[in-house]
Every structure is written in structure tokens, then in C-alpha cells.
Amino acid sequence: MKILVLHGPNLNMLGKREPDVYGVVTIEEINQMIRGHAEDIDADVEIEQFNSEGEIVSAIQGTHADAIVMNPGAYTHYSIAIRDAVAAVKLPTVEVHLSNIHAREEFRHKSVIAPVCAGQISGFGAVSYLLGMDAAKSIVEQAR
Ligand code: DQA
């Protein structure tokens, strides 16, 4: 099975960006963890990072993966376009966040994307992505 991992805007800045919130782990380090975990769970993985909404929408529309693990960054809270793309492709999608969005500012509590996802994992740092991959794998296997 193949998993598409999508990082949204500003996640390329990890390591330098608000380390008190997101820690000092870089996106390259997270991607290494993701690749290692893909091997452990016997999945293929493709990883992309986009700062713009349209590129994320196009990546969702164009993927041949079996499932998507996505950290939509700030788009989580207002991108109806990304929500509609997830709904359109009907691929099992797991929304992940490094920080616990429910424990932060009120505007981060709402995700417009989570309702069309299989579920949301929030607050476990880089491990959120790995838990998201496990969830994606189990959903795909259950559907087979
Ligand atoms: C985030 C949480 C979002 O609210 C924020 O805009 C991000 C990162 C997270 O992973 O914790 O860019 O998605």
C-alpha cells in the first residue's frame, strides 16, 4: 500500500519556527522518521510539502496513493478548498498535527477538514505523523 504524506504551509520552517510550540525537530528529521516507519509497516510513502493551498489541492486530486496523512497547517482552520478535495477523492485521510490544536488559541480548535477525514491525531509532535500512518494502514487493510 502507498501513503501520501502532505505537509502544509510553514512546516518547512520547523526547527526554526516557534520552537516552544513545535520543538526543534526539522522537517528533514520528521521525513526520515516517516520513511523509517513506512519500512517498518511495509508501506510505500511519498512525502510533499507545499506552502500554497492550490498545490495541496492538486496533490490530493492527482495522487495514486491508497491513503493520505496530512498536516494542513493553518489551512486546517479555514480551507474549504482542501476539505472539498479530500471529500472528492474519497481516499482515507488522516489529519495530523504536531501540537494539540485543542489546547491552543480558540481559532485553532476548529478544523474544517477533519469532518471529511477518517480521524484526527493532534499533539504528539512528530509521532503524530507515525500514528497517522498506522491509522491509514489499518483503514486500508480493513477495507480490503
Ligand atoms: C499545526 C497547527 C496549526 O494550527 C498551525 O497553523 C500549524 C501547525 C500543527 O502541526 O500543530 O501550522 O498544524
Side-chain angles (χ1 to χ4, degrees):
M1 71 161 281
K2 181 168 176 183
I3 301 173
L4 172 66
V5 177
L6 286 176
H7 301 285
N10 297 309
L11 294 168
N12 54 316
M13 299 286 291
L14 287 174
K16 298 187 207 113
R17 175 191 181 199
E18 299 181 81
D20 47 317
V21 179
Y22 298 113
V24 291
V25 68
T26 65
I27 192 169
E28 287 80 17
E29 287 163 346
I30 293 178
N31 290 346
Q32 269 182 17
M33 290 170 68
I34 290 169
R35 287 195 197 94
H37 194 62
E39 271 188 43
D40 292 345
I41 64 170
D42 204 21
D44 290 334
V45 73
E46 181 187 343
I47 308 171
E48 304 272 14
Q49 189 274 329
F50 298 112
N51 285 321
S52 73
E53 188 179 31
E55 286 176 301
I56 295 172
V57 168
S58 295
I60 293 167
Q61 288 179 4
T63 188
H64 296 293
D66 301 293
I68 301 171
V69 171
M70 172 166 56
N71 183 348
Y75 289 134
T76 304
H77 314 299
Y78 67 94
S79 176
I80 306 300
I82 293 175
R83 175 196 168 113
D84 286 352
V86 171
V89 298
K90 294 202 181 96
L91 285 176
T93 299
V94 183
E95 181 182 303
V96 301
H97 298 283
L98 297 151
S99 63
N100 179 355
I101 59 172
H102 303 286
R104 298 183 62 193
E105 303 96 320
E106 198 163 347
F107 67 86
R108 296 188 203 274
H109 295 183
K110 184 177 171 65
S111 168
V112 298
I113 300 171
V116 295
C117 290
Q120 182 194 68
I121 297 168
S122 180
F124 302 99
V127 174
S128 291
Y129 286 88
L130 312 186
L131 295 170
M133 291 167 73
D134 289 345
K137 186 179 177 183
S138 116
I139 296 161
V140 170
E141 281 177 353
Q142 277 173 40
R144 276 184 179 155

